[in-house]
Structures are given as structure tokens and as C-alpha cells.
Amino acid sequence: MPNLLEVRGLTVELPTENGWVRPVNEVSFALADGETLGIVGESGSGKTMLSLALMALEPPGTRRSGEALLCARNSSRAILSGPSPQAAPLSSRGNPSHRTGDGFSSASGRADSRINLVSASPREMRAIRGGEIAMIFQEPMTALNPLMRVGSQIEEAIRVHDARCSAAETRRRAVEALKLASVPEPELRARQYPHQLSGGLRQRALIAMALAAGPRVLIADEPTTALDVTVQKQILDLLVRLQSELGLAMIFITHDLGVVAEVAGRVAVMYAGRIVEEGPTRDVLREPRHPYTAGLLRAAPKLPRAVLTPIPGTVPPFDSLPSGCAFAPRCEFHRAECDAAVPDLLSVDSAHTARCILVSESVAQ
């Protein structure tokens, strides 16, 4: 499968009282058309900042470097200079009749072109954000505007990318997006305010908003946080179904390895701003090659019930990272060599890498 998104050496720097810190540090990965990549790590590992950097929604004063090359349906110049392109209807997403010869869908019929999300101007990002790459935020009550009806917020996302759409058509497409997100009574829900919806319905409304303009890359940032277990399962099933039906490429961010096993074909484990292990989900979870990944697995609840083994210590602050491996102070396999320099990502096999000097040895779970 061709790569829809290629991230190369992406670094995000934030100003602090103690100088610049890097919550995202030389992160590289690729996302293929129709693939789901899980990104896992503890709070403070840099997962959310990575997603915000890809959307150009990082805090003011942030510095970004590296590349994040997105194969957009149209070049940014064509999007900005020409009339607003109309996204393919949601019901036709994933349909072969709407796909170009190189395997990417294209509502305009023009060839895809690469756009660097890191160097794109704010105006270019407004054209790309939502129409090419969209994000589901982890807090539906704060992500939705409490003063606007749910339908109006979805309609706004549609109008940004298709200004020629009539008011009646915009409303119809907003209701269609709610139906696609399995929202019951979508016409009624579209007229309601966020506080009138349950947590699960608010999350579905965010999913509908993200999909309304027909993006091909979807970032889901812990979309089941603060939801009860049964609703979590429903949201996960919904995202898996939509990913398959619409042919979406998805980045699924979570701290739950069990969720990753259910939704993602590949997983990248983040720690202290870096990817420390990446590979096929089954391989990484069955035979982790980084002690941090192994520690996460030991700390995860299991059936039948077993004793949980927490990882000692906490993720170090970004302004006081160790000189070598950031995980070294918490690692049971710590050696003097770990403090010399940051380990490189070493190949376990052609598809599996780990950032550990002990990668040639099996790390027991």
C-alpha cells in the first residue's frame, strides 16, 4: 500500500523557564492508505503533542522542524487559488469509482501531491485541516462549543471546505454525518446543544464533525477517555467500522494496549517524546523488545486476574531528561552503556524496530 502520510524527524519544541524542551523529539513513521497505526504511552510521553503538531494546533510560540508529508488530493496551491473543492459525499467514501489510478481517492480527479504539514502556511492548513486530515479530540464536552447546536457545528466544518454548498444541502450533509456516526434520531440531535447529549453521543458528534468534510486521515486522540466500558466498546466498534467502510487511514492514540490490539495493525510506543518501539501489533505485544513496552504489558490488567506489576518511577520531565536512554532510570536492565547516548532504533526484523541496546536479546514479559 502507498504511504498516505510520511513523518520524518518531526520535532516540537516548547519554551519554558528552563529553556526549550522537546515533547516530540525526532519522531518518524509512515501511515499507509487504509491503515490504522496505534500510538501508545503513558501520560506525558508526547502523544497528544504529536497529534496537535500534525494538525498545526500546537500552543503559540512552539517551534516545529522535520517533515510530515501528506498526499493530499490537490496541491495546496490548487486548493487556495481555485474554487473551493467539494469533498466526495460520505456515502461514496471508499468506493472504487472515486479513486485515482495511484490508489488514493480524489473528488476532483486530479493527481495527489505531497504537502509538508510542518512548513505549510496557516492559510494552507485551513484548507487541509478537516478536508484531508481531521482529528477527534479526547474531551468531547470541552471540544464542542456549548453555545452552538450540534448540527450547526458540523455544518460549519462543511462550509469551510465547500462554501458553494446551499444551506439546505449543508444541513442534509450534517445529518448524514450524524447517521454515519450511528447517532440515533440524528435530525433531533442536530438541533440540540452539547449539554443535552450523553458522553457517548457527544463523542459520536465529534466523530461526525471530523468526517463531515471527507478527510482521508483521521487522528483519534484517546476517543474513549471518561466513557464507561460499554460505551467505550461501542465507540471502538464504530471507529473500526468507519475506518473499513470509508477506507480511512487512522492514527489511534491511547494508553491502553488492549485497545491497540483490537483496532490497530501496527503500533508505535512513545516514551519521553521519542518512539522507542514500532512494529506489527501482534509482534510487539507478543515479543516486546524494549523494556518499557514489556513493562506496560506487565502493568496491564489481564484475564484471568493476575498480579499487576507497575513500572517504578515516572516519566521524567522534558527539561531534565537523562543524557542517554530516557527510560534508563526506571529500567531493570540498566547498564552503564545506556547512559552514554540515546540509543538508535535498531531492527528486530524488517518490520519491527526498538530503541534499546539490548534489542538482540529477548525482553521477557
Side-chain angles (χ1 to χ4, degrees), residues 127-340:
I128 296 166
R129 194 186 299 119
E132 299 287 350
I133 180 170
M135 183 170 175
I136 304 169
F137 296 90
Q138 59 180 290
E139 292 293 343
M141 198 58 202
T142 57
L144 291 168
N145 188 332
L147 303 180
M148 290 180 64
R149 299 179 192 273
V150 170
S152 297
Q153 297 185 56
I154 300 174
E155 290 170 21
E156 186 176 55
I158 296 170
R159 283 194 298 271
V160 166
H161 297 280
D162 190 2
R164 298 170 299 177
C165 192
S166 67
E169 176 64 12
T170 302
R171 285 193 296 271
R172 185 196 68 77
R173 287 170 61 179
V175 171
E176 180 188 353
L178 288 169
K179 288 180 180 178
L180 189 69
S182 297
V183 174
E185 301 179 286
E187 293 86 356
L188 170 63
R189 304 303 183 186
R191 297 193 298 271
Q192 293 181 322
Y193 291 91
H195 75 271
Q196 295 176 287
L197 306 183
S198 67
L201 286 178
R202 288 196 294 266
Q203 193 61 273
R204 291 173 188 269
L206 278 180
I207 293 172
M209 189 183 305
L211 298 178
R216 291 184 296 170
V217 177
L218 181 65
I219 302 174
D221 185 10
E222 304 212 32
T224 58
T225 298
L227 301 177
D228 63 56
V229 176
T230 56
V231 177
Q232 287 184 28
K233 174 64 173 173
Q234 293 169 5
I235 296 298
L236 290 177
D237 289 345
L238 172 64
L239 288 172
V240 170
R241 177 176 64 81
L242 291 174
Q243 191 271 340
S244 175
E245 290 181 358
L246 303 181
L248 295 169
M250 185 163 64
I251 298 174
F252 194 100
I253 297 172
T254 182
H255 61 274
D256 192 330
L257 289 168
V259 169
V260 167
E262 184 174 344
V263 303
R266 275 194 314 124
V267 62
V269 181
M270 282 193 73
Y271 186 79
R274 295 182 185 271
I275 290 179
V276 297
E277 186 161 8
E278 181 185 358
T281 302
R282 178 176 299 183
D283 295 347
V284 171
L285 298 187
R286 284 186 176 180
E287 192 174 357
R289 292 305 184 94
H290 195 283
Y292 179 60
T293 310
L296 290 177
L297 288 167
R298 287 194 295 267
K302 300 179 181 65
L303 289 176
R305 187 173 298 177
V307 176
L308 304 183
T309 305
I311 302 174
T314 59
V315 179
F318 288 112
D319 60 358
S320 58
L321 294 177
S323 58
C325 175
F327 188 64
R330 308 173 69 187
C331 182
E332 61 183 309
F333 303 106
H334 182 204
R335 299 179 181 179
E337 306 96 286
C338 301
D339 302 322

Side-chain angles (χ1 to χ4, degrees), residues 1-2 33 71-72 99-106 110-113 216:
M1 291 185 292
D33 190 22
C71 285
R99 305 184 78 81
T100 59
D102 59 5
F104 295 130
S105 58
S106 176
R110 284 177 286 185
D112 295 339
S113 60
R216 291 184 296 170

